[in-house]
């Protein structure tokens, strides 16, 4: 049974061992949500710079919501990318099963008044110990990706971005060898179009951590064996630029370093000559 799936409608009444995760704004969730719904908007999992919290902090956070990882988490909201992002993080954290509801939650609550209650926010202390084993084998590190690219472009890289003009990024604006297949073009009904999927799966990335995780989750729900490069294009391009700057600096330092070595050698020769003259006297 797949651990990350998408459904068109909310399962209600909720089956046993099931929790509903509301990804809408916290103020809206607290005021009106599914009875017992957990308020987990995307901002809860991000720092001020838009980066992701560590796996350690992620597991602590989920424990403050009373989760152990053994539950089925039904993720709902009004914005599809937000649900994909939260579902992807829960899946990576090790949640036993994650179900994403594509139907907008606000509209669903209006049609099901008996299911309406108040949402629940995170506590200060853990209410449960999150014991699920994280799926870290699905996360690709930058060092790992760079080492793989050292032997040539990878055929299983997919870029989920669109440019500001709603176009696919050019080849020089992507990680080498990456196919451009934007998240917006992946059909909700499971249409992969002309995406060429490698036999061993794909490595997915977006602009930054938020889009990368959402893209990864959508691919998994479409049945693609995907892993994720969490930093995305932003992290890759920033470090690639730093590497170029360091290489230029290295060439600038070489003449200076060579001059220092020559001067040091010359000084040693002079000192030895003076020492020998002194001994002869």
């Amino acid at each position: 049974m797949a651990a990350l799936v998408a459904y068109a409608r909310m399962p209600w009444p909720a089956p046993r061992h099931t929790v509903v995760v509301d990804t809408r704004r916290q103020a809206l969730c607290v005021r009106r949500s599914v009875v017992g719904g957990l308020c987990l908007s995307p901002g809860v999992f991000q720092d001020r710079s838009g980066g992701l919290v560590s796996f350690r902090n992620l597991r602590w956070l989920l424990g403050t919501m009373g989760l152990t990882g053994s539950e089925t988490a039904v993720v709902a909201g009004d914005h599809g990318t937000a649900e994909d992002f939260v579902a992807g993080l829960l899946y990576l954290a090790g949640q036993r099963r994650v179900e994403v509801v594509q139907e907008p939650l606000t509209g669903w609550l209006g049609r099901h008044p008996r299911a309406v209650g108040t949402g629940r926010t995170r506590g200060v202390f853990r209410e449960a110990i999150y014991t699920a084993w994280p799926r870290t084998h699905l996360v690709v590190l930058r060092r790992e990706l760079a080492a793989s690219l050292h032997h040539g472009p990878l055929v299983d890289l997919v870029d989920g971005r669109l440019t500001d003009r709603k176009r696919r990024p050019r080849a020089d604006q992507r990680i080498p060898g990456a196919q451009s297949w934007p998240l917006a073009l992946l059909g909700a009904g499971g249409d992969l179009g002309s995406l060429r999927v490698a036999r061993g799966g794909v490595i997915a990335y977006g602009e930054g951590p938020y889009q990368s995780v959402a893209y990864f989750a959508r691919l998994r729900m479409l049945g693609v064996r995907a892993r994720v490069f969490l930093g995305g294009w932003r992290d890759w391009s920033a470090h690639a630029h730093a590497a170029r700057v360091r290489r230029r600096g290295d060439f600038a330092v070489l003449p200076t370093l060579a001059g220092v070595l020559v001067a040091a050698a010359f000084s040693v020769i002079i000192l030895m000559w003076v020492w020998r003259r002194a001994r002869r006297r």
Side-chain angles (χ1 to χ4, degrees):
M1 180 184 294
L4 179 57
V5 296
Y7 289 129
R9 297 180 180 180
M10 173 81 74
W12 194 261
R16 292 183 58 190
H17 305 297
T18 297
V19 294
V20 177
V21 176
D22 189 337
T23 64
R24 300 174 302 165
R25 290 183 297 108
Q26 181 170 301
L28 181 60
C29 173
V30 170
R31 187 169 61 250
R32 179 183 173 88
S33 184
V34 178
V35 176
L38 305 182
C39 300
L40 285 174
S41 62
V44 174
F45 302 101
Q46 297 174 287
D47 56 28
R48 294 182 178 179
S49 63
L52 298 178
V53 298
S54 66
F55 271 95
R56 177 183 177 182
N57 291 336
L58 173 60
R59 293 166 66 82
W60 176 276
L61 187 156
L62 296 176
T64 64
M65 302 297 293
L67 295 174
T68 65
S70 62
E71 313 86 356
T72 295
V74 178
V75 182
D78 291 341
H79 191 280
T81 308
E83 289 102 86
D84 290 346
F85 170 76
V86 173
L89 277 185
L90 288 172
Y91 179 68
L92 289 173
Q95 196 71 32
R96 185 185 69 86
R97 183 173 171 84
V98 183
E99 301 174 356
V100 181
V101 179
Q102 298 176 355
E103 181 182 13
L105 181 57
T106 300
W108 185 88
L109 289 171
R111 295 189 299 274
H112 297 80
R114 293 185 179 181
V116 176
T118 56
R120 176 185 169 197
T121 60
R122 59 176 296 189
V124 178
F125 304 103
R126 286 191 301 185
E127 298 184 12
I129 298 177
Y130 195 85
T131 57
W133 195 261
R135 296 180 173 93
T136 51
H137 63 284
L138 297 178
V139 177
V140 179
L141 303 177
R142 184 179 355 99
R143 297 190 304 271
E144 179 185 357
L145 185 57
S148 300
L149 288 171
H150 179 71
H151 302 287
L154 299 179
V155 297
D156 55 355
L157 269 172
V158 286
D159 187 318
R161 299 173 299 147
L162 279 176
T163 64
D164 294 339
R165 297 183 179 182
K166 304 302 180 184
R167 296 178 180 175
R168 301 186 185 196
R170 301 193 311 267
D172 61 342
Q173 297 174 334
R174 304 194 298 263
I175 297 177
Q179 300 180 57
S180 177
W181 200 256
L183 177 64
L185 299 183
L186 292 179
D191 180 19
L192 292 175
S194 60
L195 176 62
R196 299 186 303 278
V197 179
R199 180 177 300 178
V202 299
I203 300 173
Y205 71 92
E207 181 63 29
Y210 178 86
Q211 194 182 67
S212 295
V213 173
Y215 185 46
F216 157 78
R218 179 53 51 183
L219 287 172
R220 297 290 300 196
M221 284 184 276
L222 292 175
V224 179
R225 296 175 57 189
R227 293 186 293 160
V228 59
F229 172 48
L230 291 175
W233 171 253
R234 192 184 307 153
D235 177 67
W236 178 267
S237 59
H239 285 85
H241 174 71
R244 288 194 295 269
V245 171
R246 283 197 299 271
R247 284 196 293 270
R248 286 199 296 268
D250 290 343
F251 287 117
V253 168
L254 281 176
T256 304
L257 181 60
V260 170
L261 292 176
V262 170
F266 186 72
S267 299
V268 171
I269 294 173
I270 294 296
L271 288 173
M272 290 180 65
W273 180 78
V274 172
W275 178 70
R276 287 180 179 179
R277 290 291 301 268
R279 285 190 62 184
R280 290 176 183 176
R281 292 178 182 177

